Amino acid sequence: MSSPFQLIKERLEATLARSRQRFSPRRLLRRSDGLAVLDGGRGAPIWIIARGFCAYTVIDAQGVPASRRKGFAALALQRWSPFPDLGHHIEWVGARAMVWAWSIAQVRELPDARVAPLPKKAWPESIFRGQVLDDGICLVADDEGVEGRVWRQGLLAASQWWPETPDLAEWNTFLRGVGQPATRSVPVVQHEVLSSQPWTRQRLDSLNTITGQHRTFLQAGALALAVALLAIPLASSLRIMTKTIMLDRVIAREAAASANLLEAREATERDLAVVDDLLELRPPARQLELMAAVIGAVPGSDWRLLEWTMQDSRTLRVLMQVPNPDPTAIVKALESSRLLSNVSVDLGRAQNEVTIKATVGRARAEQVAAP
């Protein structure tokens, strides 16, 4: 037969378990084949965005006053964004921001033609795999594909995703692109489980997602009950069980009181999404900026511009006459600009004529090199 103390202990553990279940978020992994349930909490859903959906960059705000860094990062993010409908997550390391970005429309459109509702919160998969390094290079396995990481002084200075383990040439191209020497072999892929906590300095606590007040109250109540169990004789065990029942009622009342706070936060997030959508109505770049980018990037100086066409707001077609054209050099030069990507070069029928096609995007945020 169980003692009164054992019954009280079991009752308290069950109460705390129900509270965690009630306030814990329901985590879903957004994979290429849909949504996979990670945790079965009954709180608001949180999406973990697979690394394959994300682009990554670092925004350097050194020299910017601390009070203005958030606004500086927001402007830099809009300039760099590779997506017209930007979703993002930012983590600060000192004056530098680690930024993951994704297309909201792309992550909402499921493979079965359904459109999933926007979650209240979305996190990139990267921050739940592996751990922070002071300095180093590693290759980490994601749920789909692998991610190359370069760490400098606790900052994820560079990150690149591949659908499968890169070969040596691809790996060395990534390293050279971030100022690292080439290696003789691809590092061993690290297989890390998807953690319930991110490796960033911020920690997501299941009770703190509603309000820190609830967690403090539960911890204080649990400590008081533990002291009472050691100090109060057996005759007072019934009174302790009554206090536990009262604690359940207080938790329920506090949860109901927090509903207004949640509604206000949801309204603010919806307004912010509307503002972001309006900002995205701006054209990617002006014609003068595009011409300056092409003129400054095409190798040599004895070429002629024959035709300039914008097939739509994002597609540029240019016909040029270039002596002894080198398509590879032209592609590398144009893709090094801040405005053009997906550059292709076709040799024309006439001698020395080339047709250049490219996708026009927004200028990327300039990043100041660390001293």
Side-chain angles (χ1 to χ4, degrees):
M1 181 176 179
S2 299
S3 67
F5 290 105
Q6 183 65 26
L7 291 174
I8 295 172
K9 179 181 178 182
E10 293 175 356
R11 175 68 178 177
L12 179 59
E13 291 176 348
T15 299
L16 295 177
R18 288 196 303 272
S19 298
R20 285 193 294 268
Q21 180 73 7
R22 180 181 303 169
F23 297 125
S24 295
R26 184 168 181 259
R27 296 200 313 163
L28 303 170
L29 176 61
R30 177 60 171 98
R31 298 164 42 91
S32 62
D33 57 357
L35 289 168
V37 178
L38 299 176
D39 300 317
R42 290 185 292 175
I46 291 179
W47 283 16
I48 308 298
I49 309 298
R51 181 61 180 85
F53 287 102
C54 300
Y56 180 79
T57 191
V58 174
I59 296 176
D60 196 330
Q62 296 186 95
V64 179
S67 60
R68 299 182 180 180
R69 286 173 185 168
K70 185 175 181 181
F72 172 83
L75 291 175
L77 182 59
Q78 290 295 331
R79 293 179 57 195
W80 164 78
S81 173
F83 307 109
D85 53 338
L86 177 65
H88 68 279
H89 179 78
I90 297 179
E91 290 288 346
W92 288 91
V93 179
R96 291 171 292 184
M98 303 181 293
V99 181
W100 291 264
W102 53 85
S103 167
I104 295 177
Q106 185 180 14
V107 301
R108 291 184 61 195
E109 186 175 355
L110 302 179
D112 57 3
R114 290 183 297 119
V115 177
L118 285 174
K120 297 177 182 178
K121 181 65 178 177
W123 300 71
E125 178 188 8
S126 296
I127 65 175
F128 291 92
R129 293 194 186 274
Q131 58 186 351
V132 177
L133 302 179
D134 291 334
D135 293 284
I137 301 172
C138 59
L139 195 59
V140 179
D142 293 316
D143 184 73
E144 299 174 308
V146 294
E147 178 187 9
R149 298 177 178 177
V150 176
W151 293 93
R152 293 174 184 160
Q153 300 178 355
L155 174 80
L156 184 57
S159 170
Q160 181 166 332
W161 180 84
W162 294 273
E164 56 186 18
T165 303
D167 57 30
L168 183 58
E170 292 174 326
W171 178 250
N172 283 330
T173 298
F174 165 62
L175 293 181
R176 288 194 298 269
V178 295
Q180 296 291 325
T183 61
R184 295 183 178 180
S185 61
V186 178
V188 177
V189 178
Q190 301 176 9
H191 293 273
E192 305 283 354
V193 297
L194 191 68
S195 174
S196 61
Q197 299 287 347
W199 47 250
T200 53
R201 287 173 175 78
Q202 294 181 351
R203 288 293 180 261
L204 177 63
D205 187 271
S206 59
L207 294 179
N208 283 338
T209 56
I210 302 297
T211 172
Q213 180 181 0
H214 292 133
R215 181 183 180 186
T216 302
F217 185 87
L218 287 174
Q219 289 176 337
L223 179 60
L225 287 175
V227 173
L229 288 174
L230 296 175
I232 299 176
L234 294 176
S236 63
S237 59
L238 180 61
R239 181 164 55 91
I240 295 175
M241 295 180 64
T242 303
K243 292 292 184 180
T244 304
I245 296 174
M246 293 175 61
L247 178 62
D248 286 339
R249 295 175 180 175
V250 171
I251 293 174
R253 186 168 59 250
E254 292 293 332
S258 66
N260 292 335
L261 295 177
L262 291 176
E263 292 178 1
R265 187 177 66 180
E266 292 173 0
T268 301
E269 292 176 349
R270 287 195 299 269
D271 293 341
L272 181 59
V274 172
V275 172
D276 290 340
D277 292 340
L278 293 176
L279 288 175
E280 291 303 325
L281 295 177
R282 298 174 300 173
R286 296 190 297 270
Q287 292 289 316
L288 291 178
E289 291 178 318
L290 291 177
M291 287 187 177
V294 173
I295 292 173
V298 173
S301 59
D302 52 349
W303 47 266
R304 294 178 58 194
L305 179 63
L306 303 179
E307 183 179 334
W308 179 280
T309 305
M310 288 294 297
Q311 296 179 334
D312 53 51
S313 62
R314 302 298 296 271
T315 305
L316 172 65
R317 180 181 180 276
V318 179
L319 178 63
M320 304 182 70
Q321 189 176 59
V322 181
N324 301 317
D326 183 350
T328 300
I330 294 175
V331 169
K332 290 182 177 179
L334 291 178
E335 288 195 339
S336 66
S337 71
R338 300 178 299 113
L339 298 173
L340 300 177
S341 61
N342 300 325
V343 179
S344 64
V345 176
D346 296 326
L347 297 179
R349 296 182 179 178
Q351 184 178 7
N352 295 335
E353 283 189 1
V354 295
T355 300
I356 301 172
K357 293 183 179 180
T359 299
V360 180
R362 297 193 187 280
R364 299 183 179 180
E366 296 178 1
Q367 302 178 16
V368 180

